[in-house]
Amino acid sequence: VETGLGSAHGKAILLGEHAVVYGAPAIVLPLLDLQATASIRRSRRGYITSDLYTGPLASAPRHMGPVLTALRVSAEQLDVRADRVELILRSTIPFERGLGSSAATSAAVVRAVANLAGERLSAAQTHDLVQEAEHVAHGTSSGLDAHAVQSMTPLRFQQGKPTTVKVADKCTFVIADTGTSGSTAAAVDGVSMLRDVQSRVVDRVVEDLANLTDDVVYSLGLGDPLRVGQSMHEAHSLLAYLGVSSPALDAVVAAALEAGAYGAKLTGSGLGGCVLAVVPDQEQAGDVAAAMTAVGATRTWTTTLTPNDFDL
Ligand code: MEV
């Protein structure tokens, strides 16, 4: 091939953020309409074109570190010269909003390099290469994103191990961006500091979040979005208790509920970023999105999970 192509999609955490850091399970949803794509070809000069930086590979700024790591480690494995390529990146996943933009971009690069080399990587091989890039992006991370951006179905994720979640009936979600980005490191550190002074209370909250996550797995398996919403609603209160919500997130959550959502919560590390709401149907999704926009959300997306044939 002359040009290697690769893509991967965004993700949203349905439930279990923060608790997953302490060994609890989390559920992630694929956001198939949000895509990162990479195209790569051999060239005498090393060059990158992207929304965040365009210029020689050799003088790319620090924030390009994860992408460059994805390029370097995959090129090494696939016998491509990483300094002699032209790479073009495109993404419709907003940056630093907890929707998996860095992992999806890295996965797109890894797949594009494999395509250029005429090789097929297994999902596990792609995951390991993406996880190396994620390590550069976030330091130690639970590894959730590297799995989520490759999966077409929701995943339950615990202690590094993903399993497919059964979806019995259509379930529609609205995601709203508050237009601010919270620092994942600050949010994770804040929870850890709270745990230092109130370990029993925080451990209890983590346990409650773990139970809510498994309630949601069960409710999706029954096709009961109302019950999914009730668990999400409780989870938002617990996350607020842990100190990772914000006035903007709370306002968007309240607006969603008032407009008829079954439940809504912050998604990702919090302190900013996005809200995820579950709604009765596509029609209600429009009303809920409008209500979230009216209180300040800068963008909204709708995604519908379709039933899978997975047998539990
Ligand atoms: C951040 O997207 C999710 C957290 O649970 C951190 C992690 O899992 O690495 C807050």
Side-chain angles (χ1 to χ4, degrees):
V1 235
E2 299 261 302
T3 305
L5 297 174
S7 67
H9 55 76
K11 69 102 213 321
I13 298 180
L14 173 46
L15 221 148
E17 53 274 270
H18 289 289
V20 72
V21 173
Y22 300 97
I27 308 172
V28 286
L29 299 179
L31 301 180
L32 300 177
D33 290 342
L34 298 181
Q35 289 272 339
T37 58
S39 78
I40 190 165
R41 61 188 183 97
R42 292 188 174 87
S43 153
R44 247 184 288 159
R45 61 169 193 169
Y47 202 81
I48 182 165
T49 303
S50 75
D51 292 337
L52 296 176
Y53 166 76
T54 294
L57 277 173
S59 40
R62 254 184 84 114
H63 64 256
M64 296 303 287
V67 169
L68 297 183
T69 303
L71 174 63
R72 181 175 52 77
V73 295
S74 54
E76 209 164 272
Q77 183 144 335
L78 294 155
D79 249 345
V80 172
R81 277 200 60 174
D83 56 339
R84 294 280 184 93
V85 292
E86 268 184 51
L87 180 62
I88 300 173
L89 302 176
R90 295 272 175 260
S91 175
T92 57
I93 311 171
F95 185 61
E96 287 187 340
R97 294 292 196 275
L99 299 184
S101 100
S102 74
T105 304
S106 294
V109 169
V110 168
R111 287 173 164 177
V113 172
N115 186 224
L116 181 72
E119 302 267 346
R120 275 191 76 90
L121 295 177
S122 69
Q125 285 171 313
T126 306
H127 167 269
D128 290 348
L129 294 166
V130 172
Q131 191 52 23
E132 282 196 50
E134 282 291 280
H135 191 73
V136 172
H138 304 303
T140 43
S141 75
S142 58
L144 198 134
D145 284 20
H147 285 291
V149 299
Q150 292 201 75
S151 172
M152 302 299 281
T153 61
L155 294 177
R156 179 187 185 276
F157 184 89
Q158 187 168 26
Q159 283 167 345
K161 225 182 113 272
T163 48
T164 302
V165 172
K166 180 181 173 179
V167 179
D169 203 355
K170 269 194 195 167
C171 192
T172 299
F173 294 88
V174 179
I175 298 127
D177 187 354
T178 61
T180 58
S181 63
S183 151
T184 299
V188 170
D189 286 352
V191 174
S192 155
M193 284 189 287
L194 184 66
R195 190 164 178 263
D196 287 344
V197 285
Q198 296 189 5
S199 65
R200 283 177 57 176
V201 183
V202 171
D203 288 346
R204 182 64 204 273
V205 170
V206 167
E207 205 181 302
D208 288 348
L209 286 167
N211 289 331
L212 290 170
T213 297
D214 281 329
D215 281 348
V216 167
V217 170
Y218 185 70
S219 303
L220 288 172
L222 289 177
D224 188 345
L226 174 61
R227 218 174 127 163
V228 170
Q230 286 164 346
S231 301
M232 289 171 67
H233 184 64
E234 277 183 57
H236 183 74
S237 306
L238 293 172
L239 289 164
Y241 182 81
L242 292 179
V244 296
S245 192
S246 73
L249 287 164
D250 291 343
V252 173
V253 165
L257 294 174
E258 218 161 282
Y262 284 147
K265 60 181 278 295
L266 69 87
T267 179
S269 54
L271 300 177
C274 294
V275 166
L276 178 72
V278 62
V279 295
D281 50 43
Q282 286 279 358
E283 207 184 312
Q284 197 82 19
D287 294 346
V288 169
M292 291 161 115
T293 304
V295 296
T298 54
R299 274 189 80 174
T300 61
W301 301 267
T302 299
T303 186
T304 299
L305 291 180
T306 50
N308 53 25
D309 298 328
F310 184 72
D311 262 322
L312 284 177

